[in-house]
Amino acid sequence: MANLSNTASAIASPSSASELRSSQTVERLADRLETPALDDRSYRVIRLSNDLEVLLVHDPDTDKASAAMDVNVGSFSDTEDMPGMAHAVEHLLFMGTEKYPKENAYREYLTANSGHSNAYTAATSTNYYFELAASDKLTDVEASNPDGRSSPTIANAQKSPLYGALDRFAQFFVAPLFLASTLDRELQAVHSENKKNLQSDGWRLYQLSKSTSNPKHPYSHFSTGNLETLRDNPKERGVEVRTEFMKFHEQSYSANLMKLVVLGRESLDDLESWVVELFSCIRNKHLPKNRWDEEQPLTKDELLTQCFAKPVMDSHLLEITFPFMDEEQLYESQPGRYLSHLIGHEAPGSVLAYIKGRGWATGLSAGSTQICPGSSLFEVSIRLTEEGLKNYKAIVQVIFQYISLIRESGPQAWIFDEMKGMAEVNFRFKQKSPASDFTSKTSSAMQKPIPRAWLLSGSRLLRKFEPDVISRALEYLRSDNFRLTLVSHSFSDGLNQRERWYGTEYKLEKIPAEDLSEISKAEQKTSTERISELHLPHKNEFIPTQLEVEKRDVKEPLKAPRLIRNDEGVRTWWKKDDSFWVPKGNIFIRLRNPWIDTTPETGVKTALYCELVTDALVEYAYDAELAGLGYQLSCDSVGLQAFISGYNDKMAVLLEKVLNTMQSLEIKVDRFAVVKERLLEEYQNCDYQEPFRQIGDYTDWLNHPTGWLNEQYLAELPHLSASDIQHFYPQLLREVHIEMLVHGNLYKEDALRLTRLVESSLKSHALPSSQWPIQRSLVLPEGGNFVYSRALKDPANVNHGIETFMYVGLRSDRTLRAKLLLVAQITEEPAFDQLRTKEQLGYVVFSGVRATATTMGYRVIIQSEHPPDYLDERIDAFLRDFVVKLKEMGTAEFNDHKKSLIAKRLEKLKNLGQESRRLWTHIRNEYLDFDQVEQDVRFIEPLSQAEIIEFFIRYISPDSAARSKLTVYLRAQSLTVGLAKTLPPKVLKENMLQVLEHFLQSEGHVGKPDKIQQRLDGIDIRPENQQAIFSALKQYFMDDLSLEDDKAKAVLEKGQTMMSALWHNTAVEPEPEQEMDGDGMVPKDGTERPVKKVAIPIENIHDFRAKLPLTAGAQPLKDPREFEEVTSKL
């Protein structure tokens, strides 16, 4: 059971450090919370004098501190005429405060202390959070009082990274500046974020649901915002947008609507003292908690309608949506959870089991969602096959028959008790999550009206079986109280409307009376008339009962697993959990096979086999999933992989069933057709993801000597039959090498027994080590510069993508690896600040280390409306300028980066799963580098600034003759060559001005839009008019911006890159490039800048690979025999 202890609310706080520092009154709400059994943290809930409620968390062992603020103001509070207002304010709060006016001061501070931050805007709340390195060590007093209720004096709070972060964070809510110089850039960021989502079916269908709901309820509004809603339209109405944002913050942000969570290594008294000092000055405007009770999202006008919509991706989806009861006060019984458990069940007797058996569906989910206080929806979502699409009306009737079954059966105490018991087990053994994950989610939970002592357990535990409440909830699921949404890529004719914000094509109509009549009949069927295959679930035999854990005193947890079996056919690694003490385990199995992915055909056959095994196990494995035990089956270029995870009590039972199914799978033609259709959709849809999600696959493909693209797999799939897979998979399993990792609450003999189970079930022959697949990568040549370019498949996508990869060397070279990690650390914040914040190249910008099978390098990824060529130039411009910054960096700043990187590398693992994945990664990549973290630190510590400068100039700088670079361009079809000839001059000029604005900001100049408009009046913005355009720009720079000659000349030279972007953005082929001097467009005779290396296009992948050498194969850094367990100890 969970630790149960509550305290009365409003207990007066005793004398403490906080009272010594402040005269503010602090109300104690709770100081003991219901916690998981292994939770070693201490908690305190307080309310400040300004009504700000705070949860303080003392974690003596954490190496990450964090805080999160949830403000009860979200997109539902947007003004009618400026949709996206709350989201824009969220962005703008990061851009400087009165106390810390530098726009990136907050991010710089966090980055220097191994930290990061983020925020999100939801319907009723905006949530801000960060995490960073915790204080270095505890004081003696704290160390001797693990409950965290001591009150030691910390000599200088400013020395704590957490204190400094809280100081900066608090100012978001005290005195944000809404800097005019950052306003347009952050609105552009909001706009880019919105454009990033325009082709995402998740966002499109969500907005369609909103846009077709009750227009009087804020659920119907557009919440993200864009330049049209937040800048252009307001300006046309004469609105000063900055004033509106400041007014929104002033009128909506109030301390009494805020919930703060602070987690640190410091004592509760110190955390309380800091919070009182830093957050008490947030103004309390005594605003009422936001509610929307007057209207409901779905009224009689929106109910009994059906919406047919066309998605971007190839998929078929049926959704049934019911208005539902408000469960805000029903956290003890959670009736929606009971109903979703039954309707969403997948075992025999369920809706899914029936419609899946008829070949109509591949998946089903059900559940209730609170839209806002006072409004909820219950949704049933079914992933259809093509046959299911044809029979969607019958599926709707099946669902209503099952609802009738639930109603007729009445609420079942045994079902609730089973759910309640499993919830208690899950909460009892809940492990820690990343610090910012915890603070963000908990601050959001604090907005709910649950007892403060239940903040951690509130919605996780079921406490009361209330059959009357369940029956009342069930009454919302009626045949006169729903609407349908049917989604299919096959829809085209008859879609007569287009959703305003995302452009989704759809048709909305009333459900025909005859269809409603059939649904009503289905709802009224009795047990004798109902489909006989439908029934309530049986007792779950997978519920764990053996939950004992033998906890021992461990001075130092082992870094590496032990090798307990190592012979020709099997290699088994094992590590008994010595850190987390939960009754759980993780089993990883790799079945090496040399020809699993030798051709696209064998790759597709293997993928089909994995999907067919999974499909055959759906009904059996669902009970295990409910009981916290799951599995995955997958494949890669080296072999098949199986993963079993969860409570170890019945783990062997599930593993045996999975193995037996793998070995004796009988492929049914009808199920094969369904699985093949689903895999076909997945392959087709991969090419319709956002560019930044696709681009990594191409970079991996170009770095490896073999491998296939999605389109090559797709070409093979249509020709395959059930008999092909039936004959194929026995060959796949006939000869393999088995490698396993058994980790968790499992003893050595358990691991050996599981190994024997794998052997006996699969009945495979041993694959000799001479036939094991070898993992290698291509070696990019010194001075190489390659570019691979291709058009994106989605014709409506407006975003391009680029990944630029600078090859460094072998990943086994510890010195190079340490230098690369440190360069990635040092450039992370400046790259984001320059390329995203200042230049606004796109919403998605990130940089860091990329590793292949055996090599590594530095990469930058951007998704943007700007073309890849221009993005490539801007990345190189940043890297070129950064050489100077690196040379000018002070010793203290450089050492701070080293300290921050080391703290990141030494960050503690939070749970068993994290440790298991780390161990398996080192086994799977074949390096067996289990002490990689410690080795990284050992090689990072002695690095000097001179060494990093030398490394950067050699491997990363664009001016290095030795730099080896591989770049992938993904181009949007919407900007194909020649399109600009059809665009009006006004549009072309707007593009020109936008690019110019970003360019000037990146160069540190404040533009004058009115002046440049005047300079360009009368000039046709076309490539053939470059000289006239540049003459106008020269006058603008020198006369209007008053730049000195040298500066104007330098800006003009860089302006050629900007002009290149213009031609690409307007999709016109540019004239051959000319260099400029200060007098205009004339050949440049200077030689100051190194000659730009021309990129070699990759047009034939076979030829590209054939010309490059290979690395040696991945090899263990230590002889595996060093890890062998030779004792008989369990």
Side-chain angles (χ1 to χ4, degrees):
M1 291 294 292
N3 299 328
L4 300 174
S5 59
N6 301 335
T7 58
S9 62
I11 299 175
S13 175
S15 297
S16 65
S18 60
E19 291 181 341
L20 295 176
R21 292 190 180 191
S22 172
S23 60
Q24 300 288 344
T25 302
V26 176
E27 183 182 8
R28 187 78 57 83
L29 304 181
D31 58 5
R32 297 187 71 84
L33 271 60
E34 188 174 45
T35 63
L38 297 173
D39 193 336
D40 58 357
R41 294 167 171 166
S42 50
Y43 301 89
R44 180 182 297 169
V45 185
I46 62 174
R47 182 182 290 121
L48 305 187
S49 59
N50 59 358
D51 279 347
L52 171 63
E53 192 176 356
V54 187
L55 170 64
L56 306 170
V57 186
H58 164 64
D59 187 339
D61 296 321
T62 188
D63 54 3
K64 287 287 187 180
S66 177
M69 179 77 87
D70 194 274
V71 188
N72 180 218
V73 178
S75 61
F76 280 12
S77 299
D78 288 347
T79 58
E80 289 278 349
D81 56 355
M82 288 185 71
M85 170 76 80
H87 185 210
V89 168
E90 171 222 306
H91 274 251
L92 289 163
L93 291 197
F94 286 82
M95 295 291 107
T97 61
E98 288 183 11
K99 187 172 183 179
Y100 297 100
K102 186 178 178 182
E103 66 182 59
N104 64 333
Y106 174 64
R107 183 180 170 88
E108 271 188 351
Y109 181 86
L110 294 177
T111 302
N113 287 281
S114 312
H116 60 84
S117 67
N118 212 333
Y120 65 84
T121 302
T124 61
S125 284
T126 305
N127 192 281
Y128 303 83
Y129 57 93
F130 71 82
E131 72 173 50
L132 79 173
S135 302
D136 288 337
K137 60 183 179 179
L138 298 170
T139 67
D140 293 338
V141 178
E142 287 173 288
S144 62
N145 289 275
D147 67 355
R149 287 172 175 78
S150 59
S151 184
T153 300
I154 294 182
N156 189 351
Q158 284 80 351
K159 289 181 180 179
S160 165
L162 176 59
Y163 180 89
L166 289 173
D167 189 18
R168 289 160 176 79
F169 188 58
Q171 294 303 307
F172 286 13
F173 314 102
V174 177
L177 287 176
F178 293 93
L179 290 169
S181 60
T182 68
L183 181 64
D184 203 60
R185 281 192 273 116
E186 283 310 301
L187 293 183
Q188 183 65 49
V190 171
H191 185 71
S192 295
E193 182 177 351
N194 179 61
K195 283 208 164 184
K196 174 182 74 70
N197 300 327
L198 288 180
Q199 292 303 102
S200 165
D201 280 330
W203 283 94
R204 291 166 70 88
L205 296 176
Y206 176 54
Q207 185 60 50
L208 180 61
S209 170
K210 286 154 56 74
S211 295
T212 55
S213 67
N214 177 11
K216 295 180 181 178
H217 193 282
Y219 178 68
S220 66
H221 297 168
F222 172 51
S223 57
T224 307
N226 57 28
L227 287 179
E228 175 190 347
T229 66
L230 296 169
R231 187 189 67 182
D232 299 343
N233 287 351
K235 281 187 175 180
E236 288 179 5
R237 299 193 303 267
V239 173
E240 172 52 58
V241 294
R242 177 171 178 265
T243 301
E244 293 302 308
F245 295 133
M246 296 172 71
K247 185 189 301 182
F248 182 88
H249 184 274
E250 171 64 24
Q251 294 177 350
S252 303
Y253 275 53
S254 174
N256 71 303
L257 298 182
M258 298 179 183
K259 309 296 180 184
L260 175 66
V261 178
V262 179
L263 182 155
R265 190 178 287 176
E266 294 77 10
S267 71
L268 291 174
D269 288 336
D270 277 323
L271 293 176
E272 179 175 319
S273 174
W274 293 356
V275 164
V276 170
E277 175 191 349
L278 300 173
F279 290 86
S280 292
C281 52
I282 299 174
R283 285 178 56 204
N284 182 6
K285 298 156 193 173
H286 303 283
L287 298 179
K289 187 173 177 62
N290 285 313
R291 294 191 64 87
W292 294 266
D293 296 314
E294 297 80 9
E295 296 282 345
Q296 288 297 312
L298 300 180
T299 68
K300 60 181 179 63
D301 293 330
E302 293 79 39
L303 294 173
L304 304 184
T305 60
Q306 54 189 14
C307 181
F308 300 89
K310 185 174 183 178
V312 172
M313 294 192 177
D314 187 7
S315 61
H316 314 299
L317 186 70
L318 170 65
E319 289 188 346
I320 307 174
T321 305
F322 303 87
F324 198 60
M325 71 190 312
D326 184 2
E327 296 182 274
E328 189 174 48
Q329 301 289 340
L330 301 176
Y331 45 83
E332 293 187 80
S333 58
Q334 301 178 53
R337 188 165 164 181
Y338 177 90
L339 296 178
S340 66
H341 172 76
L342 295 179
I343 298 173
H345 218 280
E346 299 180 14
S350 66
V351 171
L352 180 62
Y354 178 77
I355 60 178
K356 178 176 172 284
R358 298 183 70 88
W360 291 349
T362 60
L364 182 151
S365 62
S368 60
T369 303
Q370 185 186 52
I371 300 301
C372 61
S375 301
S376 292
L377 299 176
F378 191 98
E379 294 182 316
V380 183
S381 179
I382 306 101
R383 183 177 176 181
L384 302 174
T385 62
E386 288 187 10
E387 199 62 29
L389 182 65
K390 298 173 186 175
N391 290 279
Y392 80 90
K393 295 180 182 180
I395 293 173
V396 174
Q397 293 173 32
V398 171
I399 290 168
F400 275 95
Q401 283 199 45
Y402 197 83
I403 291 171
S404 173
L405 167 66
I406 298 172
R407 185 177 290 114
E408 182 181 279
S409 302
Q412 301 290 304
W414 75 266
I415 293 178
F416 183 88
D417 288 342
E418 190 175 85
M419 294 172 61
K420 177 175 179 288
M422 199 62 233
E424 288 171 353
V425 169
N426 288 334
F427 182 70
R428 175 183 172 189
F429 296 108
K430 185 180 182 300
Q431 300 172 77
K432 289 181 180 178
S433 57
S436 58
D437 236 23
F438 171 83
T439 57
S440 176
K441 290 176 181 177
T442 307
S443 65
S444 176
M446 290 175 71
Q447 297 287 2
K448 299 176 181 178
I450 56 179
R452 302 296 88 173
W454 290 357
L455 282 178
L456 306 183
S457 61
S459 61
R460 296 181 182 276
L461 295 180
L462 292 165
R463 303 170 192 274
K464 288 183 181 178
F465 176 57
E466 298 183 307
D468 291 345
V469 176
I470 293 174
S471 296
R472 279 196 287 118
L474 190 57
E475 285 308 306
Y476 285 83
L477 310 187
R478 305 189 314 272
S479 61
D480 63 347
N481 190 51
F482 75 100
R483 70 172 180 177
L484 292 180
T485 302
L486 199 62
V487 179
S488 175
H489 201 266
S490 63
F491 293 157
S492 54
D493 297 337
L495 302 184
N496 54 8
Q497 296 184 68
R498 188 179 291 272
E499 196 277 321
R500 176 182 177 185
W501 302 108
Y502 287 80
T504 304
E505 296 177 80
Y506 72 99
K507 178 176 70 172
L508 184 65
E509 63 185 21
K510 285 290 184 179
I511 299 174
E514 56 269 28
D515 293 352
L516 288 175
S517 175
E518 292 300 316
I519 293 170
S520 178
K521 290 177 183 177
E523 182 185 38
Q524 295 169 21
K525 285 186 182 294
T526 64
S527 58
T528 57
E529 301 168 318
R530 199 176 295 123
I531 297 169
S532 60
E533 292 93 329
L534 298 179
H535 58 78
L536 294 180
H538 51 66
K539 182 180 178 183
N540 190 342
E541 300 295 337
F542 276 99
I543 299 291
T545 55
Q546 302 296 321
L547 297 168
E548 293 77 18
V549 178
E550 183 185 1
K551 186 174 182 180
R552 299 176 178 177
D553 291 330
V554 177
K555 292 183 179 180
E556 183 68 30
L558 294 176
K559 300 294 182 186
R562 309 311 300 166
L563 186 56
I564 58 174
R565 184 166 165 190
N566 186 17
D567 52 46
E568 183 183 20
V570 177
R571 196 156 67 181
T572 299
W573 301 85
W574 162 76
K575 183 174 185 287
K576 177 73 171 67
D577 173 31
D578 54 6
S579 300
F580 304 103
W581 314 111
V582 289
K584 295 183 177 183
N586 294 303
I587 304 171
F588 297 83
I589 305 168
R590 168 182 266 179
L591 305 178
R592 280 191 178 86
N593 184 301
W595 57 285
I596 195 169
D597 201 30
T598 51
T599 68
E601 182 184 357
T602 58
V604 172
K605 285 180 176 179
T606 307
L608 269 171
Y609 166 66
C610 293
E611 291 291 329
L612 286 161
V613 172
T614 302
D615 183 73
L617 288 167
V618 166
E619 293 180 23
Y620 178 86
Y622 186 70
D623 277 349
E625 182 182 333
L626 290 177
L629 185 60
Y631 82 99
Q632 293 175 1
L633 192 63
S634 62
C635 58
D636 60 18
S637 62
V638 175
L640 286 170
Q641 290 192 95
F643 171 50
I644 312 289
S645 176
Y647 294 103
N648 59 277
D649 180 23
K650 296 181 173 66
M651 183 171 276
V653 178
L654 178 61
L655 175 60
E656 184 174 16
K657 180 67 174 180
V658 171
L659 293 169
N660 288 338
T661 305
M662 290 174 64
Q663 203 277 333
S664 58
L665 179 67
E666 182 182 344
I667 301 174
K668 299 176 181 178
V669 174
D670 58 339
R671 293 312 304 163
F672 175 81
V674 170
V675 170
K676 179 179 176 180
E677 177 189 326
R678 184 173 64 202
L679 189 60
L680 187 67
E681 283 183 6
E682 289 178 7
Y683 283 145
Q684 290 170 338
N685 292 337
C686 278
D687 292 329
Y688 284 79
Q689 297 179 98
E690 295 167 279
F692 82 95
R693 299 187 190 279
Q694 298 184 46
I695 203 162
D697 290 341
Y698 293 103
T699 307
D700 284 338
W701 177 65
L702 292 165
N703 271 288
H704 286 84
T706 58
W708 319 106
L709 289 177
N710 184 64
E711 62 200 40
Q712 294 169 293
Y713 292 128
L714 187 58
E716 298 293 334
L717 186 55
H719 312 300
L720 298 177
S721 66
S723 61
D724 290 330
I725 310 304
Q726 192 74 60
H727 290 96
F728 169 76
Y729 87 79
Q731 303 173 50
L732 197 64
L733 300 177
R734 186 175 62 84
E735 194 174 43
V736 300
H737 176 265
I738 300 168
E739 184 148 35
M740 297 177 59
L741 168 66
V742 180
H743 179 222
N745 189 40
L746 296 154
Y747 291 91
K748 179 181 176 181
E749 185 51 46
D750 295 327
L752 291 171
R753 190 182 304 114
L754 291 166
T755 303
R756 293 192 293 270
L757 175 62
V758 175
E759 285 183 289
S760 62
S761 299
L762 295 180
K763 303 178 177 65
S764 302
H765 298 298
L767 178 72
S769 59
S770 60
Q771 297 182 38
W772 292 6
I774 299 174
Q775 300 189 69
R776 303 176 186 268
S777 300
L778 298 172
V779 177
L780 299 182
E782 184 173 301
N785 186 12
F786 304 96
V787 63
Y788 178 77
S789 179
R790 65 183 291 140
L792 290 156
K793 292 285 181 68
D794 184 358
N797 170 64
V798 298
N799 287 307
H800 306 275
I802 182 174
E803 178 170 6
T804 181
F805 171 76
M806 276 69 82
Y807 174 87
V808 169
L810 298 179
R811 59 189 292 177
S812 56
D813 186 324
R814 294 200 187 278
T815 300
L816 279 181
R817 175 179 163 83
K819 292 176 180 178
L820 178 60
L821 288 170
L822 188 50
V823 163
Q825 158 68 29
I826 294 171
T827 57
E828 179 187 2
E829 194 282 328
F832 185 90
D833 182 57
Q834 181 63 34
L835 301 175
R836 184 188 185 275
T837 305
K838 289 187 169 67
E839 296 193 36
Q840 284 295 313
L841 295 182
Y843 183 75
V844 178
V845 175
F846 56 90
S847 60
V849 176
R850 168 181 275 282
T852 71
T854 54
T855 65
M856 60 186 177
Y858 179 82
R859 71 166 174 185
V860 179
I861 290 180
I862 301 177
Q863 179 175 295
S864 171
E865 289 184 76
H866 294 291
D869 320 63
Y870 176 63
L871 300 175
D872 205 354
E873 291 280 359
R874 297 315 304 156
I875 291 169
D876 271 355
F878 164 74
L879 296 174
R880 182 177 289 112
D881 291 344
F882 197 76
V883 174
V884 177
K885 294 179 181 177
L886 197 54
K887 291 177 179 178
E888 295 175 349
M889 183 177 290
T891 302
E893 183 180 355
F894 177 79
N895 288 335
D896 282 345
H897 278 297
K898 282 208 302 183
K899 180 181 177 182
S900 180
L901 175 60
I902 288 170
K904 286 180 183 177
R905 297 302 297 138
L906 293 175
E907 183 177 347
K908 291 181 180 179
L909 296 165
K910 302 297 186 294
N911 51 59
L912 183 73
Q914 284 187 353
E915 184 180 7
S916 295
R917 287 189 291 273
R918 175 183 286 184
L919 296 175
W920 182 241
T921 296
H922 294 312
I923 295 169
R924 186 168 173 260
N925 66 28
E926 301 185 12
Y927 284 102
L928 307 183
D929 195 10
F930 299 112
D931 63 346
Q932 184 186 70
V933 168
E934 291 73 25
Q935 291 295 330
D936 282 345
V937 172
R938 186 167 74 87
F939 279 80
I940 291 167
E941 284 178 331
L943 289 177
S944 68
Q945 188 168 350
E947 288 177 290
I948 295 302
I949 293 170
E950 180 185 12
F951 174 89
F952 193 93
I953 291 174
R954 163 68 176 79
Y955 291 101
I956 312 298
S957 171
D959 298 333
S960 169
R963 182 178 77 159
S964 186
K965 178 183 173 188
L966 170 66
T967 308
V968 177
Y969 293 169
L970 295 184
R971 296 186 183 276
Q973 286 189 46
S974 57
L975 296 175
T976 53
V977 172
L979 180 64
K981 294 177 181 178
T982 66
L983 298 177
K986 179 182 177 182
V987 173
L988 297 177
K989 183 171 288 189
E990 287 174 354
N991 286 350
M992 163 78 174
L993 293 172
Q994 185 182 33
V995 173
L996 178 63
E997 181 179 1
H998 294 160
F999 168 68
L1000 287 173
Q1001 289 173 347
S1002 72
E1003 295 298 314
H1005 302 294
V1006 178
K1008 297 180 179 180
D1010 294 341
K1011 294 292 185 181
I1012 188 59
Q1013 285 269 18
Q1014 295 173 12
R1015 295 287 183 188
L1016 292 174
D1017 279 347
I1019 300 177
D1020 191 13
I1021 307 299
R1022 301 283 179 182
E1024 55 269 25
N1025 292 330
Q1026 288 188 46
Q1027 187 163 353
I1029 293 169
F1030 271 93
S1031 294
L1033 290 178
K1034 178 188 174 185
Q1035 295 302 314
Y1036 173 64
F1037 293 150
M1038 298 183 70
D1039 298 345
D1040 299 326
L1041 299 186
S1042 302
L1043 299 183
E1044 297 177 359
D1045 288 351
D1046 289 346
K1047 288 186 179 180
K1049 181 178 179 180
V1051 172
L1052 282 168
E1053 287 178 358
K1054 291 184 179 181
Q1056 188 166 20
T1057 300
M1058 179 272 295
M1059 187 61 72
S1060 173
L1062 170 65
W1063 307 142
H1064 284 291
N1065 269 341
T1066 54
V1068 179
E1069 290 286 8
E1071 293 179 337
E1073 286 190 357
Q1074 300 180 65
E1075 297 286 350
M1076 308 171 291
D1077 67 12
D1079 296 323
M1081 297 296 296
V1082 299
K1084 181 185 175 187
D1085 58 2
T1087 57
E1088 295 178 4
R1089 178 169 293 181
V1091 177
K1092 177 183 176 182
K1093 289 184 288 186
V1094 177
I1096 300 172
I1098 301 172
E1099 297 174 346
N1100 183 305
I1101 186 63
H1102 177 271
D1103 291 349
F1104 171 71
R1105 287 170 170 164
K1107 294 174 182 177
L1108 298 180
L1110 295 175
T1111 67
Q1115 291 289 310
L1117 297 180
K1118 289 183 179 179
D1119 189 320
R1121 289 173 296 185
E1122 294 186 34
F1123 300 100
E1124 287 185 354
E1125 173 73 64
V1126 295
T1127 68
S1128 60
K1129 176 179 63 177
L1130 297 183

